[in-house]
Amino acid sequence: MVKGKVVAWNLAKGFGFVEADGEKAFVHTTDLNGGTLKVDADVTYETKESEKKGEKLVATNVKGPGVVPKPKGKGKLTGTVKKWSVGNSLGFIQPDGEDEKAKDVYVHSSAFGGGNLTVGKTVNFDVQDVEHKSGRQVATNVSGEAVRGVGSKKGTAKKWIFSKGFGFIEEDGKPTKEEGDENEIYVHCSELGGGYLIAGRQVFFDLEERENDEKKRTHAVNLSGPAVRPADVTTHVGGFGRGGFVGGRGGGRGGYGRGGKGFGGGKGGKGGKGKK
């Protein structure tokens, strides 16, 4: 075990850093069972190499006076999930009794231990003593019917086809040998809010069988983890078509294609030149 101090904690995003002998290590709220850290307080922890680019160490098994446990019981406030971005792991809550024109409350997945929220469903929550950079209050201790925790399955993003807006996941312990393998798990960009997966990175998910899928594929839903990335029109072939994401072949880097009908449908028209 390493003895160190908490040097930073971001309440809005649920992560921070601990330090010992001049070496920092990343800490996420999911490694604290939904808790937080108190800056300048003492902690003990173990370290491991990070899978993320730009990070050297990750702290695990963090203990000591610097750890603030997750609040017990339901939040005192109630509201409805107004928006949720799977790729960014954040969204907004419309508090009950508030005017719809009033500022909604910012919520990050760290406020409920990771996973996703379902738009239109209700939550219980408290608000933190800090404000988000947008001026909104920040939700904490979130629970209720809208919460979909971290997926029960864990695996690795195998590949992503940007031009078609879908890819495949390989579940841990069930390797796939080739395309079409029965263990291959299909994921569409619509499950990622128009985002995509980074091949080779870890992802958490649940499984769903769909009767209307003629190919009888196993679909991944409720995705989260390092592999998940939000929509970015500068990196998607075809950009955003008129009818939806990946609708057209055009669009170029930074441009927008005319697109096909519906979400990701049709061949679409020729895209614009795009911004350089």
Side-chain angles (χ1 to χ4, degrees):
M1 298 286 284
V2 179
K3 292 183 179 180
K5 282 187 176 291
V6 180
V7 294
W9 185 259
N10 187 320
L11 278 170
K13 295 187 177 180
F15 72 83
F17 294 89
V18 292
E19 184 178 43
D21 298 324
E23 191 168 42
K24 292 182 180 180
F26 175 86
V27 186
H28 194 269
T29 183
T30 52
D31 293 313
L32 303 170
N33 296 316
T36 62
L37 293 178
K38 185 188 299 184
V39 175
D40 292 330
D42 295 328
V43 287
T44 59
Y45 55 93
E46 297 174 351
T47 60
K48 66 178 183 179
E49 294 295 321
S50 175
E51 295 180 358
K52 288 188 176 182
K53 188 176 181 180
E55 289 179 8
K56 292 183 178 180
L57 295 175
V58 173
T60 61
N61 195 24
V62 183
K63 297 179 180 180
V67 178
V68 181
K70 178 182 177 180
K72 294 182 179 180
K74 291 183 178 180
K76 297 177 182 179
L77 304 175
T78 58
T80 303
V81 179
K82 188 175 179 181
K83 294 181 181 178
W84 183 256
S85 169
V86 176
N88 289 301
S89 298
L90 60 85
F92 302 97
I93 298 170
Q94 177 68 48
D96 289 346
E98 292 285 342
D99 190 307
E100 289 187 3
K101 293 182 180 180
K103 279 189 176 180
D104 38 31
V105 178
Y106 171 91
V107 57
H108 188 267
S109 62
S110 58
F112 49 90
N116 295 291
L117 294 179
T118 302
V119 174
K121 292 197 174 183
T122 59
V123 288
N124 292 83
F125 65 100
D126 293 316
V127 292
Q128 298 177 3
D129 294 331
V130 298
E131 282 190 351
H132 186 253
K133 60 184 179 181
S134 64
R136 291 179 170 87
Q137 292 181 303
V138 178
T140 186
N141 193 24
V142 177
S143 63
E145 65 170 357
V147 176
R148 294 186 293 164
V150 176
S152 60
K153 304 290 184 181
K154 183 171 68 172
T156 303
K158 189 175 180 182
K159 64 179 177 180
W160 187 263
I161 305 171
F162 286 99
S163 61
K164 296 184 178 180
F166 67 78
F168 298 94
I169 294 171
E170 185 175 87
E171 184 179 350
D172 287 357
K174 296 182 179 180
T176 56
K177 296 179 180 179
E178 58 186 16
E179 188 170 342
D181 189 301
E182 63 177 7
N183 288 333
E184 193 171 58
I185 300 167
Y186 175 85
V187 55
H188 191 267
C189 61
S190 59
E191 295 295 338
L192 302 167
Y196 59 99
L197 297 178
I198 298 178
R201 290 198 177 182
Q202 188 181 63
V203 60
F204 298 92
F205 57 97
D206 291 318
L207 298 177
E208 185 176 279
E209 301 291 340
R210 298 182 180 175
E211 295 181 358
N212 60 352
D213 187 343
E214 296 179 355
K215 295 184 179 181
K216 304 299 181 182
R217 295 170 295 199
T218 300
H219 291 245
V221 297
N222 189 27
L223 296 102
S224 62
V228 179
R229 285 293 178 268
D232 179 358
V233 297
T234 66
T235 58
H236 287 71
V237 176
F240 285 80
R242 173 180 279 177
F245 182 79
V246 195
R249 294 187 60 186
R253 185 170 288 272
Y256 290 80
R258 288 180 62 83
K261 297 179 179 179
F263 193 90
K267 292 182 179 179
K270 186 176 181 181
K273 292 181 179 179
K275 296 180 180 179
K276 294 183 179 180

